[in-house]
Amino acid sequence: MNLPQKHSATGTTIFTVMSALATQHNAINLSQGFPDFPLDEQLAKLLHEAAHNGFNQYAPMPGLPLLRQAVADNFKKRYNLDINADTEITITPGATYGIYTAFTSVLQPGDEAIILEPAYDSYIPNIEMNGAKAVPVSLVAPDFHVDWNTIKAAITPKTKALILNTPHNPTGAVWTKQDWDTLAGIVRNTDIVILSDEVYEQIIFDGQKHYSVLEHPELRQRSFALFSFGKVFHNTGWKIGYCIAPPDFTIAFRRIHQFLSFTVNTPGQYALAHYIMNNSAEPLHSMMQKKRDYFLELMKQTPFTIHKPAAGSYFQVASYERINSMPDMEFAQWLTKEYGVATIPVSAFYNNKKDDKLIRFCFAKKEDTLMEAVERLRKLS
Ligand code: PMP
Ligand code: GLN
């Protein structure tokens, strides 16, 4: 039987491929984005407490009220934003799911959606699974800023959505307030819906501030903002995130969500709610900045070139122009097999597999892991 190919991506995602290759060759895995250190013991205890105390049946469809209220209070505290926990927040099984559900709430067959490349690899398949067409626009290296003229040129009467990601995976670039204002001006007289992928919102460096789409009163009215607890609390495997959107968008989102997963793991939601309300851990940005700085310092001992330190996210892009001229996919495989360090080739984030000979390192790792990886990379000198 021939089952339909619902999207144009072929094979298995690069994150699965590189993590499997790392395991196969006993390599240090700086490829897929996840921490190799444990989550806070307090959060683990709360998960146990939840299961033990009977929080094991379906949570309400939009998410546990306690968790939605904790998220709303947390946004009031951190951004001074008023978000209605009942009408604007939906708990999702991770941000990847939230992005798919937001696209599905908006897109119809024949529509177009603009993505900014390099881009997280689920965006294009998610657009295509809705019968719509992805329109990629390139960010401009080496700092990967937006070229607004290319965005304007990409907009047609069929454009129904634009997805952006700040802080950015894989480049570490972050949007300024000016970027948001420019976007607002461009979409002002259109029906374009914004999907704002902000999973790394709390990982931003050098005293900079993350600007959320929710802080832009005009754009907020036409946006879905997507978040992931996994990136914040070092528990990517829990796959819990949330979507914040205005009430009419949230109704549309839940219309899809109730028939996709319906609801999300209850003990995880209980644990996160209580943890967020009492969290006193070191702020994530300062913890991750130490790791970024440590990694960048170590990398000076290797022949890799860092064109720009990551301004946010837990990824650093590096060029291997001084090592060899292999295609980046080949280089990443070679590095894993021969030197025992797994990374992600940046071409995987382009629809046309554009190869700028860059690889991405994930530095959300223990210092020992980063040091051991660089010990291995030094041998390339
Ligand atoms: N967006 C971006 C840019 C990401 O890097 C990730 C990575 N995990 C996600 C979304 C998805 O997050 P989740 O694991 O919560 O699905
Ligand atoms: N977002 C993670 C990364 O970029 C991986 C998520 C996944 O494996 N799909 O590495």
Side-chain angles (χ1 to χ4, degrees), residues 169-224:
N169 175 11
T171 69
V174 301
W175 274 37
T176 61
K177 180 157 188 316
Q178 178 62 47
D179 287 320
W180 289 114
D181 289 341
T182 310
L183 179 66
I186 290 175
V187 298
R188 189 160 293 138
N189 294 315
T190 71
D191 287 332
I192 298 173
V193 170
I194 305 299
L195 276 68
S196 186
D197 178 345
E198 301 184 26
V199 298
Y200 301 103
E201 51 133 4
Q202 295 183 44
I203 312 181
I204 182 157
F205 309 129
D206 305 316
Q208 291 187 78
K209 176 190 158 23
H210 167 69
Y211 286 99
S212 171
V213 74
L214 302 169
E215 293 175 282
H216 198 285
E218 185 183 347
L219 284 174
R220 181 174 166 183
Q221 297 311 315
R222 58 164 78 222
S223 299
F224 291 94

Side-chain angles (χ1 to χ4, degrees), residues 90-335:
T90 309
I91 308 300
T92 63
T96 310
Y97 171 101
I99 293 163
Y100 174 73
T101 305
F103 273 132
T104 305
S105 311
V106 174
L107 296 175
Q108 308 234 56
D111 289 345
E112 293 178 1
I114 295 176
I115 69 159
L116 308 183
E117 287 191 326
Y120 184 51
D121 69 347
S122 73
Y123 298 168
I124 294 181
N126 285 181
I127 293 165
E128 293 175 345
M129 282 147 81
N130 281 292
K133 183 177 160 216
V135 178
V137 167
S138 274
L139 297 165
V140 188
D143 60 349
F144 295 95
H145 67 270
V146 182
D147 175 351
W148 295 104
N149 287 327
T150 57
I151 300 239
K152 281 185 210 155
I155 294 175
T156 76
K158 291 185 181 166
T159 310
K160 290 288 147 45
L162 180 150
I163 185 164
L164 65 102
N165 168 222
T166 181
H168 188 245
N169 175 11
T171 69
V174 301
W175 274 37
T176 61
K177 180 157 188 316
Q178 178 62 47
D179 287 320
W180 289 114
D181 289 341
T182 310
L183 179 66
I186 290 175
V187 298
R188 189 160 293 138
N189 294 315
T190 71
D191 287 332
I192 298 173
V193 170
I194 305 299
L195 276 68
S196 186
D197 178 345
E198 301 184 26
V199 298
Y200 301 103
E201 51 133 4
Q202 295 183 44
I203 312 181
I204 182 157
F205 309 129
D206 305 316
Q208 291 187 78
K209 176 190 158 23
H210 167 69
Y211 286 99
S212 171
V213 74
L214 302 169
E215 293 175 282
H216 198 285
E218 185 183 347
L219 284 174
R220 181 174 166 183
Q221 297 311 315
R222 58 164 78 222
S223 299
F224 291 94
L226 292 316
F227 301 89
S228 172
F229 291 114
K231 301 291 174 180
V232 180
F233 298 126
H234 320 306
N235 54 354
T236 60
W238 287 25
K239 288 296 294 187
I240 307 181
Y242 51 101
C243 169
I244 302 182
D248 52 338
F249 281 27
T250 295
I251 288 170
F253 186 93
R254 292 178 184 169
R255 204 183 289 140
I256 308 295
H257 167 65
Q258 66 180 339
F259 295 121
L260 272 184
S261 83
F262 170 60
T263 185
V264 179
N265 173 312
T266 306
Q269 292 194 62
Y270 170 98
L272 286 164
H274 287 275
Y275 188 70
I276 292 169
M277 291 190 289
N278 302 301
N279 181 15
S280 58
E282 178 186 8
L284 189 59
H285 61 87
S286 83
M287 176 216 196
M288 285 296 177
Q289 174 152 355
K290 283 183 206 148
K291 291 188 182 298
R292 181 203 65 170
D293 292 346
Y294 181 70
F295 180 63
L296 288 180
E297 195 52 39
L298 288 175
M299 285 295 278
K300 289 182 183 159
Q301 303 166 23
T302 75
F304 286 96
T305 312
I306 309 282
H307 289 297
K308 199 163 188 299
S313 85
Y314 47 49
F315 303 113
Q316 179 63 56
V317 164
S319 161
Y320 54 90
E321 65 206 351
R322 288 190 281 165
I323 301 170
N324 63 38
S325 57
M326 286 178 187
D328 68 352
M329 185 67 202
E330 207 178 297
F331 181 85
Q333 288 175 343
W334 173 78
L335 197 65

